[in-house]
Amino acid sequence: GDSVTQTEGQVTVSESKSLIINCTYSATSIGYPNLFWYVRYPGEGLQLLLKVITAGQKGSSRGFEATYNKEATSFHLQKASVQESDSAVYYCALSDRWNQGKLIFGQGTKLSIKP
Amino acid sequence: GPKVLQIPSHQIIDMGQMVTLNCDPVSNHLYFYWYKQILGQQMEFLVNFYNGKVMEKSKLFKDQFSVERPDGSYFTLKIQPTALEDSAVYFCASSPGGLNTEVFFGKGTRLTVV
């Protein structure tokens, strides 16, 4: 079936250091999925951080970037220099391009920033 | 930005009783969704709803579950009767529809069945 895997449940990074959160996916029934990163800040609802719908393209928002790698079936989230305000839980997700509200989520990665 | 509101944020119910979870979606959105997240697990799609009808439901959407949006008011998820395994956080979401539109999520209602 279709699935999303985030291997790290929790990541701690020092402020101003770089970050990478890994995401791989399997899309056996969805031929060409849309890929997303969602974020939940403390006390807030889940919100879209970025999305990419074309293989090989990069999405970016708030200093975060992710590239749709169809060959590696990956969509890793990166940031060059994290800030304390980036502390949140990050979810990788995919959907069929014709049914974008039906999202398949990864387990989520909690990012903590050390001052 | 647009907000999806969920009321209440936490509800405790006795096993076997009925519960209704309420969601106030973004106005003028046409598609509505419920997701379920059991503690420590992934958020999973339950159902989507459009034009007064269930469009698609997952295997998690048991016969005891029902959804409706009477007269354009709250979008509700009803569970009758509740079971212990229904304890989870339920997230409501809405979207305007069409290609490449964003889905907006509420903060969730934590349901505890005792």
Side-chain angles (χ1 to χ4, degrees), chain B residues 23-90:
Chain B
C23 169
D24 188 9
V26 177
S27 62
N28 78 14
H29 279 191
L30 300 178
Y31 290 81
F32 311 104
Y33 312 87
W34 284 102
Y35 283 78
K36 175 182 180 181
Q37 186 173 28
I38 294 172
L39 187 64
Q41 297 185 24
Q42 278 138 295
M43 195 181 317
E44 293 189 88
F45 170 83
L46 278 179
V47 65
N48 64 11
F49 188 85
Y50 167 74
N51 199 25
K53 300 192 206 53
V54 169
M55 301 302 290
E56 185 177 359
K57 55 188 180 182
S58 73
K59 63 182 187 302
L60 297 180
F61 194 81
K62 305 182 301 185
D63 291 343
Q64 296 89 328
F65 288 25
S66 62
V67 291
E68 63 175 358
R69 189 176 186 229
D71 302 323
S73 60
Y74 285 156
F75 175 51
T76 62
L77 173 66
K78 185 189 294 186
I79 309 174
Q80 181 177 28
T82 49
L84 293 177
E85 61 264 27
D86 297 330
S87 294
V89 182
Y90 291 84

Coordinates of all heavy atoms in Angstrom, one line a residue, chain B residues 23-90:
Chain B
C23 N -17.3 20.5 14.4 CA -16.2 21.2 13.6 C -16.9 22.4 12.8 O -17.9 22.2 12.2 CB -15.6 20.3 12.6 SG -14.5 21.0 11.4
D24 N -16.3 23.6 13.0 CA -16.7 24.7 12.2 C -15.7 25.0 11.1 O -14.6 25.5 11.4 CB -16.8 26.0 13.2 CG -17.4 27.1 12.5 OD1 -18.0 27.0 11.3 OD2 -17.4 28.2 13.0
P25 N -16.0 24.5 9.9 CA -14.9 24.6 8.8 C -14.8 26.1 8.3 O -15.6 27.0 8.7 CB -15.5 23.7 7.8 CG -17.0 23.7 8.0 CD -17.2 23.9 9.4
V26 N -13.8 26.3 7.5 CA -13.6 27.6 6.9 C -14.8 27.9 6.0 O -15.3 27.0 5.2 CB -12.3 27.6 6.1 CG1 -12.2 29.0 5.4 CG2 -11.1 27.3 6.9
S27 N -15.4 29.1 6.2 CA -16.6 29.5 5.4 C -16.2 29.4 3.9 O -15.1 29.7 3.5 CB -17.1 30.8 5.8 OG -16.1 31.8 5.5
N28 N -17.1 29.0 3.1 CA -17.0 28.9 1.6 C -16.2 27.7 1.2 O -16.0 27.5 0.0 CB -16.6 30.1 0.9 CG -15.2 30.5 0.9 OD1 -14.3 29.6 1.3 ND2 -14.8 31.7 0.5
H29 N -15.7 26.9 2.1 CA -15.1 25.6 1.8 C -16.1 24.6 1.4 O -17.2 24.6 2.0 CB -14.1 25.1 2.9 CG -12.8 25.8 2.9 ND1 -11.7 25.3 3.6 CD2 -12.3 26.9 2.2 CE1 -10.7 26.1 3.4 NE2 -11.0 27.1 2.6
L30 N -15.8 23.7 0.5 CA -16.8 22.7 0.0 C -16.5 21.3 0.4 O -17.4 20.5 0.4 CB -16.8 22.8 -1.5 CG -17.2 24.2 -2.1 CD1 -17.2 24.1 -3.6 CD2 -18.6 24.6 -1.6
Y31 N -15.2 21.0 0.8 CA -14.8 19.6 1.1 C -14.5 19.6 2.6 O -13.8 20.5 3.1 CB -13.6 19.2 0.2 CG -14.0 19.0 -1.2 CD1 -14.0 20.1 -2.1 CD2 -14.2 17.7 -1.7 CE1 -14.4 19.9 -3.4 CE2 -14.6 17.6 -3.1 CZ -14.6 18.7 -3.9 OH -15.0 18.5 -5.2
F32 N -14.9 18.5 3.2 CA -14.7 18.4 4.7 C -14.2 17.0 5.0 O -14.5 16.0 4.3 CB -16.0 18.6 5.4 CG -16.7 19.9 4.9 CD1 -17.8 19.8 4.1 CD2 -16.2 21.1 5.3 CE1 -18.4 21.0 3.7 CE2 -16.8 22.3 4.8 CZ -17.9 22.2 4.0
Y33 N -13.3 16.9 6.0 CA -12.6 15.7 6.3 C -12.5 15.5 7.8 O -12.5 16.4 8.6 CB -11.2 15.7 5.8 CG -11.0 16.2 4.4 CD1 -10.9 17.6 4.1 CD2 -11.0 15.3 3.3 CE1 -10.8 18.1 2.8 CE2 -10.9 15.8 2.0 CZ -10.8 17.2 1.7 OH -10.7 17.6 0.5
W34 N -12.5 14.2 8.2 CA -12.1 13.8 9.5 C -10.9 12.9 9.5 O -10.8 12.0 8.6 CB -13.2 13.1 10.3 CG -14.3 14.0 10.8 CD1 -15.5 14.2 10.2 CD2 -14.2 14.9 11.9 NE1 -16.2 15.2 10.9 CE2 -15.5 15.6 12.0 CE3 -13.3 15.1 12.9 CZ2 -15.8 16.5 13.0 CZ3 -13.6 16.1 13.9 CH2 -14.8 16.7 13.9
Y35 N -9.9 13.1 10.4 CA -8.8 12.3 10.6 C -8.7 11.8 12.0 O -9.2 12.5 12.9 CB -7.5 13.0 10.2 CG -7.2 13.2 8.8 CD1 -7.9 14.2 8.0 CD2 -6.3 12.4 8.1 CE1 -7.7 14.3 6.7 CE2 -6.0 12.6 6.8 CZ -6.7 13.6 6.1 OH -6.5 13.7 4.7
K36 N -8.1 10.7 12.2 CA -8.0 10.1 13.6 C -6.5 9.9 13.9 O -5.8 9.3 13.1 CB -8.8 8.8 13.7 CG -8.7 8.1 15.0 CD -9.4 6.8 15.0 CE -9.3 6.0 16.3 NZ -10.1 4.7 16.2
Q37 N -6.1 10.2 15.1 CA -4.7 10.0 15.5 C -4.7 9.3 16.9 O -5.0 10.0 17.9 CB -3.8 11.2 15.5 CG -2.4 10.9 15.8 CD -1.5 12.2 15.6 OE1 -1.9 13.3 15.8 NE2 -0.2 11.9 15.3
I38 N -4.4 8.1 16.9 CA -4.2 7.4 18.2 C -2.9 7.8 18.8 O -1.9 7.9 18.0 CB -4.3 5.9 18.1 CG1 -5.8 5.5 17.6 CG2 -4.0 5.1 19.3 CD1 -6.0 4.1 17.3
L39 N -2.8 7.9 20.1 CA -1.5 8.4 20.8 C -0.3 7.5 20.3 O -0.4 6.3 20.3 CB -1.7 8.2 22.3 CG -0.6 8.8 23.1 CD1 -0.4 10.3 22.9 CD2 -0.7 8.4 24.6
G40 N 0.7 8.2 19.8 CA 1.9 7.5 19.4 C 1.9 7.0 17.9 O 2.8 6.4 17.5
Q41 N 0.7 7.2 17.3 CA 0.6 6.7 15.9 C 0.4 7.8 14.9 O 0.3 9.0 15.2 CB -0.5 5.7 15.8 CG -0.3 4.4 16.7 CD -1.5 3.4 16.6 OE1 -2.1 3.4 15.5 NE2 -1.6 2.6 17.6
Q42 N 0.4 7.4 13.6 CA 0.2 8.4 12.6 C -1.3 8.9 12.5 O -2.2 8.2 12.9 CB 0.5 7.7 11.2 CG 1.9 7.7 10.8 CD 2.3 6.4 10.2 OE1 2.2 5.3 10.8 NE2 2.7 6.4 9.0
M43 N -1.4 10.1 12.0 CA -2.7 10.6 11.7 C -3.3 9.9 10.5 O -2.6 9.7 9.5 CB -2.6 12.1 11.4 CG -3.9 12.9 11.5 SD -3.7 14.6 11.1 CE -2.3 15.0 12.0
E44 N -4.5 9.4 10.6 CA -5.1 8.6 9.5 C -6.4 9.1 9.0 O -7.3 9.5 9.8 CB -5.2 7.1 10.0 CG -3.9 6.5 10.2 CD -4.1 5.0 10.5 OE1 -4.0 4.2 9.5 OE2 -4.2 4.6 11.6
F45 N -6.6 9.1 7.7 CA -7.8 9.6 7.1 C -9.0 8.7 7.5 O -8.9 7.4 7.5 CB -7.6 9.5 5.6 CG -8.9 9.7 4.8 CD1 -9.3 11.0 4.5 CD2 -9.6 8.6 4.3 CE1 -10.5 11.2 3.7 CE2 -10.7 8.8 3.5 CZ -11.1 10.1 3.2
L46 N -10.1 9.3 7.9 CA -11.3 8.6 8.2 C -12.3 8.7 7.0 O -12.9 7.7 6.5 CB -12.0 9.2 9.4 CG -11.5 8.7 10.8 CD1 -12.3 9.4 11.9 CD2 -11.6 7.2 11.0
V47 N -12.7 10.0 6.6 CA -13.8 10.2 5.7 C -13.6 11.6 5.1 O -13.1 12.5 5.6 CB -15.1 10.1 6.5 CG1 -15.2 11.2 7.5 CG2 -16.3 10.0 5.6
N48 N -14.2 11.7 3.8 CA -14.4 13.0 3.3 C -15.8 13.2 2.8 O -16.5 12.2 2.5 CB -13.3 13.4 2.2 CG -13.4 12.5 1.0 OD1 -14.3 11.7 0.8 ND2 -12.4 12.6 0.1
F49 N -16.3 14.4 2.7 CA -17.7 14.7 2.7 C -17.8 15.9 1.7 O -17.1 16.9 1.9 CB -18.2 15.1 4.1 CG -19.6 15.3 4.2 CD1 -20.5 14.2 4.5 CD2 -20.2 16.5 4.2 CE1 -21.8 14.4 4.7 CE2 -21.6 16.7 4.4 CZ -22.4 15.6 4.6
Y50 N -18.7 15.8 0.8 CA -18.9 16.9 -0.2 C -20.3 16.9 -0.6 O -20.9 15.8 -0.9 CB -17.9 16.7 -1.4 CG -18.2 17.6 -2.6 CD1 -17.9 18.9 -2.5 CD2 -18.8 17.1 -3.7 CE1 -18.2 19.7 -3.6 CE2 -19.1 17.9 -4.8 CZ -18.8 19.2 -4.8 OH -19.1 20.0 -5.8
N51 N -20.9 18.1 -0.7 CA -22.2 18.2 -1.3 C -23.3 17.3 -0.5 O -24.1 16.7 -1.1 CB -22.2 17.9 -2.8 CG -23.4 18.4 -3.5 OD1 -24.0 19.4 -3.1 ND2 -23.8 17.8 -4.6
G52 N -23.1 17.2 0.8 CA -24.0 16.5 1.6 C -23.8 15.0 1.6 O -24.7 14.3 2.2
K53 N -22.7 14.5 1.0 CA -22.6 13.1 0.9 C -21.2 12.7 1.3 O -20.2 13.4 1.1 CB -22.8 12.6 -0.5 CG -24.1 12.9 -1.1 CD -24.2 12.1 -2.4 CE -25.1 12.7 -3.5 NZ -25.1 14.0 -3.9
V54 N -21.1 11.5 1.9 CA -19.7 10.9 2.1 C -19.2 10.4 0.7 O -19.8 9.7 -0.1 CB -19.9 9.6 3.0 CG1 -18.6 8.8 3.0 CG2 -20.2 10.0 4.4
M55 N -18.0 11.0 0.4 CA -17.4 10.6 -0.9 C -16.5 9.4 -0.8 O -16.5 8.6 -1.7 CB -16.5 11.8 -1.4 CG -17.3 13.1 -1.6 SD -18.7 12.9 -2.7 CE -17.8 12.7 -4.2
E56 N -15.8 9.3 0.3 CA -14.9 8.2 0.5 C -14.7 8.0 2.0 O -14.7 9.0 2.8 CB -13.6 8.5 -0.2 CG -12.6 7.3 -0.1 CD -11.3 7.6 -0.9 OE1 -11.1 8.7 -1.4 OE2 -10.4 6.7 -0.9
K57 N -14.6 6.7 2.4 CA -14.3 6.5 3.8 C -13.2 5.4 3.9 O -13.2 4.5 3.0 CB -15.5 6.1 4.6 CG -16.3 4.9 4.0 CD -17.7 4.8 4.7 CE -18.4 3.6 4.1 NZ -19.7 3.4 4.7
S58 N -12.5 5.4 4.9 CA -11.4 4.4 5.1 C -12.0 3.2 6.0 O -13.1 3.3 6.5 CB -10.2 5.0 5.8 OG -10.5 5.2 7.2
K59 N -11.2 2.2 6.1 CA -11.6 1.0 6.9 C -11.7 1.4 8.4 O -12.3 0.7 9.2 CB -10.7 -0.2 6.7 CG -9.3 0.1 7.1 CD -8.4 -1.2 6.8 CE -7.0 -1.0 7.4 NZ -6.2 0.1 6.9
L60 N -11.1 2.5 8.8 CA -11.3 3.0 10.2 C -12.6 3.6 10.5 O -13.0 3.7 11.6 CB -10.2 4.0 10.5 CG -8.8 3.6 10.4 CD1 -7.9 4.8 10.8 CD2 -8.5 2.5 11.4
F61 N -13.4 3.9 9.4 CA -14.7 4.5 9.6 C -15.7 3.4 9.8 O -16.3 2.9 8.8 CB -15.0 5.4 8.3 CG -16.2 6.3 8.5 CD1 -16.0 7.5 9.2 CD2 -17.4 6.0 8.0 CE1 -17.1 8.4 9.3 CE2 -18.5 6.9 8.2 CZ -18.3 8.1 8.8
K62 N -15.9 3.1 11.1 CA -16.7 1.9 11.4 C -18.2 2.2 11.2 O -18.6 3.4 11.0 CB -16.5 1.5 12.8 CG -15.0 1.2 13.2 CD -14.8 0.7 14.6 CE -15.3 1.8 15.6 NZ -15.0 1.4 17.0
D63 N -19.0 1.2 11.2 CA -20.5 1.4 11.1 C -21.0 2.3 12.2 O -22.1 3.0 12.0 CB -21.2 0.1 11.1 CG -20.9 -0.8 9.9 OD1 -20.4 -0.2 8.9 OD2 -21.1 -2.0 9.9
Q64 N -20.3 2.4 13.3 CA -20.8 3.2 14.4 C -20.6 4.7 14.2 O -21.0 5.5 15.0 CB -20.1 2.8 15.7 CG -20.4 1.4 16.2 CD -19.5 0.4 15.6 OE1 -19.0 0.5 14.5 NE2 -19.2 -0.7 16.4
F65 N -19.8 5.0 13.1 CA -19.5 6.4 12.8 C -20.5 7.0 11.8 O -20.9 6.3 10.9 CB -18.1 6.5 12.2 CG -16.9 6.3 13.2 CD1 -17.1 5.5 14.3 CD2 -15.7 6.8 12.9 CE1 -16.1 5.3 15.2 CE2 -14.6 6.6 13.8 CZ -14.8 5.8 14.9
S66 N -20.8 8.2 11.9 CA -21.5 8.9 10.9 C -21.1 10.4 10.9 O -20.6 10.9 11.9 CB -23.0 8.8 11.1 OG -23.4 9.4 12.4
V67 N -21.3 11.0 9.7 CA -21.0 12.4 9.6 C -22.1 13.1 8.9 O -22.9 12.5 8.1 CB -19.7 12.7 8.7 CG1 -18.4 12.2 9.5 CG2 -19.8 12.0 7.4
E68 N -22.3 14.4 9.2 CA -23.3 15.2 8.5 C -22.9 16.7 8.7 O -22.1 17.1 9.6 CB -24.7 14.9 9.1 CG -24.9 15.3 10.5 CD -26.3 15.1 10.9 OE1 -27.2 14.7 10.1 OE2 -26.6 15.3 12.1
R69 N -23.5 17.5 7.8 CA -23.4 19.0 8.0 C -24.8 19.5 7.6 O -25.0 20.0 6.5 CB -22.3 19.5 7.0 CG -22.0 21.0 7.3 CD -20.9 21.5 6.5 NE -20.6 22.9 6.9 CZ -20.5 23.9 6.1 NH1 -20.7 23.7 4.8 NH2 -20.2 25.1 6.6
P70 N -25.6 19.5 8.6 CA -27.0 20.0 8.3 C -27.1 21.5 8.1 O -26.5 22.3 8.9 CB -27.8 19.6 9.6 CG -26.7 19.4 10.7 CD -25.5 19.0 10.0
D71 N -27.6 21.9 7.0 CA -27.9 23.3 6.7 C -26.7 24.2 6.7 O -26.7 25.3 7.2 CB -29.0 23.9 7.7 CG -30.2 23.1 7.6 OD1 -30.6 22.6 6.5 OD2 -30.8 22.9 8.7
G72 N -25.5 23.6 6.3 CA -24.3 24.4 6.3 C -23.8 24.9 7.6 O -23.0 25.8 7.7
S73 N -24.2 24.2 8.7 CA -23.7 24.6 10.0 C -22.4 23.8 10.3 O -21.6 23.6 9.5 CB -24.8 24.3 11.0 OG -25.2 23.0 11.0
Y74 N -22.4 23.3 11.6 CA -21.2 22.5 11.9 C -21.1 21.2 11.1 O -22.2 20.6 10.8 CB -21.3 22.1 13.4 CG -21.0 23.2 14.4 CD1 -21.4 23.1 15.7 CD2 -20.1 24.2 14.1 CE1 -21.1 24.1 16.6 CE2 -19.8 25.2 15.0 CZ -20.3 25.1 16.3 OH -20.1 26.1 17.2
F75 N -19.9 20.8 10.8 CA -19.7 19.5 10.3 C -19.4 18.5 11.5 O -18.5 18.8 12.3 CB -18.4 19.5 9.3 CG -18.0 18.2 8.7 CD1 -18.9 17.4 8.1 CD2 -16.7 17.9 8.8 CE1 -18.5 16.2 7.6 CE2 -16.2 16.7 8.2 CZ -17.1 15.8 7.6
T76 N -20.2 17.5 11.6 CA -20.1 16.7 12.8 C -19.7 15.3 12.5 O -20.0 14.7 11.5 CB -21.4 16.7 13.6 OG1 -22.4 16.0 12.7 CG2 -21.9 18.1 13.9
L77 N -19.0 14.7 13.5 CA -18.7 13.3 13.5 C -19.4 12.7 14.7 O -19.1 13.1 15.9 CB -17.2 13.0 13.6 CG -16.7 11.6 13.8 CD1 -17.0 10.7 12.6 CD2 -15.2 11.5 14.1
K78 N -20.3 11.7 14.5 CA -21.0 11.1 15.6 C -20.5 9.6 15.7 O -20.3 8.9 14.7 CB -22.5 11.1 15.3 CG -23.3 10.6 16.5 CD -24.8 10.4 16.1 CE -25.5 11.7 15.8 NZ -26.9 11.6 15.6
I79 N -20.3 9.2 17.0 CA -19.9 7.8 17.2 C -21.0 7.3 18.2 O -21.2 7.8 19.3 CB -18.5 7.7 17.9 CG1 -17.5 8.5 17.1 CG2 -18.1 6.2 17.9 CD1 -16.1 8.6 17.7
Q80 N -21.7 6.2 17.7 CA -22.7 5.6 18.5 C -22.8 4.2 18.2 O -23.2 3.8 17.1 CB -24.1 6.3 18.2 CG -25.2 5.8 19.0 CD -26.5 6.6 18.8 OE1 -26.7 7.1 17.7 NE2 -27.4 6.6 19.7
P81 N -22.5 3.3 19.2 CA -22.0 3.6 20.5 C -20.5 3.7 20.5 O -19.8 3.2 19.6 CB -22.4 2.4 21.3 CG -22.4 1.3 20.3 CD -22.8 1.9 19.0
T82 N -19.9 4.4 21.5 CA -18.4 4.5 21.6 C -17.8 3.2 22.2 O -18.5 2.5 22.9 CB -18.0 5.7 22.5 OG1 -18.8 5.6 23.7 CG2 -18.3 7.0 21.8
A83 N -16.6 3.0 21.8 CA -15.8 1.8 22.3 C -14.5 2.4 22.8 O -14.1 3.5 22.4 CB -15.6 0.8 21.2
L84 N -13.8 1.6 23.6 CA -12.5 2.0 24.2 C -11.5 2.4 23.1 O -10.8 3.4 23.3 CB -11.9 1.0 25.1 CG -12.7 0.7 26.4 CD1 -12.0 -0.5 27.2 CD2 -12.8 1.9 27.3
E85 N -11.5 1.6 22.0 CA -10.6 1.9 20.9 C -10.8 3.1 20.1 O -10.1 3.5 19.2 CB -10.4 0.7 20.0 CG -11.7 0.3 19.3 CD -12.5 -0.8 20.0 OE1 -12.4 -0.9 21.2 OE2 -13.3 -1.5 19.3
D86 N -11.9 3.8 20.4 CA -12.2 5.1 19.8 C -11.5 6.2 20.4 O -11.5 7.4 19.9 CB -13.7 5.4 19.8 CG -14.5 4.4 19.0 OD1 -14.0 3.8 18.1 OD2 -15.7 4.1 19.4
S87 N -10.8 6.0 21.6 CA -10.0 7.0 22.2 C -8.9 7.4 21.3 O -8.1 6.6 20.9 CB -9.5 6.5 23.5 OG -10.5 6.2 24.5
A88 N -8.9 8.7 21.0 CA -7.9 9.3 20.0 C -8.1 10.8 19.9 O -9.0 11.3 20.5 CB -8.1 8.6 18.6
V89 N -7.3 11.4 19.1 CA -7.5 12.8 18.8 C -8.1 12.8 17.4 O -7.6 12.2 16.5 CB -6.2 13.7 18.8 CG1 -6.5 15.1 18.4 CG2 -5.6 13.6 20.2
Y90 N -9.2 13.5 17.2 CA -9.9 13.6 15.9 C -9.7 15.0 15.4 O -10.0 16.0 16.0 CB -11.4 13.3 16.1 CG -11.6 11.8 16.5 CD1 -11.5 11.4 17.8 CD2 -11.9 10.9 15.5 CE1 -11.7 10.0 18.1 CE2 -12.1 9.6 15.8 CZ -12.0 9.1 17.1 OH -12.2 7.8 17.4

